[in-house]
Amino acid sequence: MKQHTKHILQIIVIAFAVTMIFSCQDNYSEIQKLSYTKRFPVGEAENMFLVYTDSGKVKSTLRSPYNKDFSNQKFPFMEFPNGIILNFFDENNNKSVVTSDYAILYSDTRLVDLQGNVVLTTHDGNVLEAPQLYWDQDKEWIFTEREFKWSNEHGVLLQGTNGIDFNKNLTIIDAHEIYDSTIPIEEKDK
């Protein structure tokens, strides 16, 4: 009987020790939660539509199914966790379109970080695809340090791994490193 009581006592001690271990882990996770500063948006919007004008002329429009406004942070930003459709217009009102799965607009720097299946299509048939692009609104300059694929209606194709910089009309382009390019040449009858 002594042996049986000793065995039961050991089981109780082990159960108590296991309970204490899990209890400590729960307390530790609670302490971690307290030390983590959560970011709460000052506002949220569904089916958002923004229009940016300059001197009475529409320069760009932005659509997003969902937006979080973090203008209450030290470095304010707007987050678009479900992606955006950005239309921007040149001086002749020609429309170019950028789409992405996710975006952040940093208010102070006016820099837009586009992520996930980013596609830029210009009014004249240029198409740039990348996993991430940055758009500097003030300089009207687009860039990435990641891989990219650029093509146009004539079939010109550039692919690179270390980024590309260009203006919004894709008329000034600086590809950092190209690993593949195709340029079609028309054959003329002799």
Side-chain angles (χ1 to χ4, degrees):
M1 190 132 8
K2 276 185 166 182
Q3 189 72 340
H4 186 302
T5 307
K6 186 176 179 181
H7 187 19
I8 291 175
L9 190 56
Q10 285 177 337
I11 292 173
I12 292 172
V13 168
I14 291 171
F16 179 74
V18 169
T19 304
M20 289 302 293
I21 289 170
F22 285 114
S23 174
C24 289
Q25 286 180 348
D26 286 343
N27 288 341
Y28 182 69
S29 67
E30 290 299 315
I31 291 169
Q32 281 181 320
K33 287 179 187 176
L34 290 174
S35 66
Y36 175 74
T37 304
K38 290 189 177 184
R39 294 182 182 171
F40 294 102
V42 71
E44 297 180 38
E46 291 182 355
N47 301 316
M48 181 178 201
F49 182 68
L50 290 174
V51 178
Y52 173 70
T53 60
D54 186 9
S55 303
K57 190 171 184 180
V58 175
K59 292 291 191 173
S60 62
T61 64
L62 184 143
R63 285 189 187 279
S64 180
Y66 182 62
N67 166 258
K68 292 181 179 181
D69 180 358
F70 291 94
S71 59
N72 58 346
Q73 301 298 309
K74 286 183 181 180
F75 192 70
F77 64 96
M78 293 177 75
E79 181 181 33
F80 303 90
N82 299 334
I84 64 167
I85 300 172
L86 175 65
N87 298 313
F88 55 95
F89 304 90
D90 66 13
E91 54 280 347
N92 297 321
N93 209 32
N94 294 311
K95 178 174 81 169
S96 296
V97 181
V98 179
T99 60
S100 71
D101 295 338
Y102 178 86
I104 296 178
L105 166 61
Y106 296 101
S107 306
D108 289 350
T109 60
R110 295 187 30 84
L111 185 71
V112 181
D113 179 359
L114 305 158
Q115 300 175 24
N117 299 310
V118 182
V119 179
L120 164 64
T121 307
T122 63
H123 71 279
D124 55 355
N126 290 299
V127 178
L128 181 82
E129 300 170 71
Q132 183 174 30
L133 283 178
Y134 295 98
W135 163 249
D136 184 328
Q137 296 179 72
D138 293 334
K139 295 179 182 175
E140 296 188 336
W141 198 253
I142 302 165
F143 60 96
T144 185
E145 296 299 321
R146 299 185 61 191
E147 64 272 10
F148 66 91
K149 178 180 161 185
W150 177 68
S151 61
N152 67 21
E153 61 187 9
H154 305 293
V156 173
L157 176 69
L158 296 175
Q159 290 182 299
T161 56
N162 290 332
I164 189 169
D165 294 67
F166 52 93
N167 66 346
K168 73 175 183 176
N169 298 324
L170 290 173
T171 56
I172 302 171
I173 299 172
D174 178 17
H176 303 183
E177 185 176 312
I178 297 171
Y179 69 84
D180 187 21
S181 65
T182 306
I183 301 173
I185 299 172
E186 288 184 33
E187 288 189 34
K188 295 190 178 194
D189 294 330
K190 292 185 179 182

